[in-house]
């Protein structure tokens, strides 16, 4: 049998990266997943690999926040939040051979979040069915003048003569 340390070497050509969006929003968390595979073409489970993977993940420019979690399947879920608008480059390589994984380096176009627009939309200045408008409509309906109702309520009157 081989040494357990050999299990931690990823095969960059066989490994995969999924979920990288072509676009992202500044200040909004986005994520991708690294699926490390060995030279045998099989996923590398965390149980068989006590040492760190020889995988390198570099995000340029560096994100506002980032977090990585290991899934039970052996894949690595990377959550990151871009800080500024512009192009972000994500490079996933083998730290041993420096070879890129398929698709790497990835380019993500980070756009503005338009928070002002969203705020205005959420709290409109006038509600179509709130307050005054509803009050006015209700007043008009319940106080219809008698003349508009067709037959007058009292026939004749003081000037009947």
């Amino acid at each position: 049998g081989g040494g357990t340390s050999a299990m931690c070497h990823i095969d960059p050509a066989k490994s995969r990266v999924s979920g990288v969006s072509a676009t992202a929003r500044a200040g909004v968390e986005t994520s991708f997943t690294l699926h490390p595979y060995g030279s045998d073409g099989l996923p590398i489970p965390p149980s068989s690999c006590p040492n760190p993977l020889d995988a390198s993940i570099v995000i340029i420019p560096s994100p506002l926040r980032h977090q990585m979690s290991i899934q039970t399947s052996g894949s690595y879920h990377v959550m990151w939040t871009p800080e500024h608008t512009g192009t972000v480059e994500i490079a996933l390589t083998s730290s041993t051979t420096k070879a890129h994984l398929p698709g790497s380096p990835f380019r993500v176009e980070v756009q503005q979040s338009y928070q002002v627009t969203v705020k205005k939309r959420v709290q409109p200045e006038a509600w179509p069915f709130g307050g005054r408008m509803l009050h006015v409509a209700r007043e008009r309906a319940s106080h219809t003048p008698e003349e508009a109702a067709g037959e007058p309520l009292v026939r004749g009157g003081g000037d009947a003569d």
Side-chain angles (χ1 to χ4, degrees):
T4 47
S5 60
M7 295 288 296
C8 296
H9 285 285
I10 66 161
D11 186 327
K14 292 186 170 78
S15 298
R16 293 286 176 264
V17 184
S18 66
V20 180
S21 297
T23 58
R25 296 212 175 274
V28 179
E29 189 178 76
T30 183
S31 66
F32 60 88
T33 308
L34 161 65
H35 309 271
Y37 282 76
S39 51
D40 55 2
L42 295 171
I44 303 172
S47 55
S48 70
C49 181
N51 305 330
L53 287 176
D54 69 337
S56 164
I57 300 172
V58 180
I59 301 176
I60 301 168
S62 60
L64 191 64
R65 287 182 295 277
H66 69 279
Q67 188 190 336
M68 186 164 75
S69 58
I70 306 174
Q71 317 291 93
T72 47
S73 62
S75 60
Y76 289 73
H77 190 64
V78 181
M79 286 159 287
W80 63 285
T81 305
E83 187 173 8
H84 306 292
T85 56
T87 306
V88 172
E89 192 177 276
I90 304 172
L92 294 102
T93 58
S94 157
S95 42
T96 310
T97 66
K98 307 290 183 224
H100 282 266
L101 272 70
S104 173
F106 295 90
R107 286 180 180 275
V108 180
E109 291 303 321
V110 181
Q111 296 155 355
Q112 187 52 261
S113 291
Y114 302 116
Q115 285 163 317
V116 182
T117 315
V118 172
K119 272 184 193 159
K120 273 190 187 162
R121 235 178 253 153
V122 171
Q123 295 183 316
E125 291 189 16
W127 292 93
F129 38 74
R132 196 167 177 77
M133 283 191 223
L134 181 64
H135 183 70
V136 168
R138 206 186 270 141
E139 284 280 309
R140 229 174 255 148
S142 56
H143 290 87
T144 308
E146 276 78 22
E147 301 92 80
E151 288 290 325
L153 291 177
V154 180
R155 282 197 180 274
D159 49 83
D161 276 65

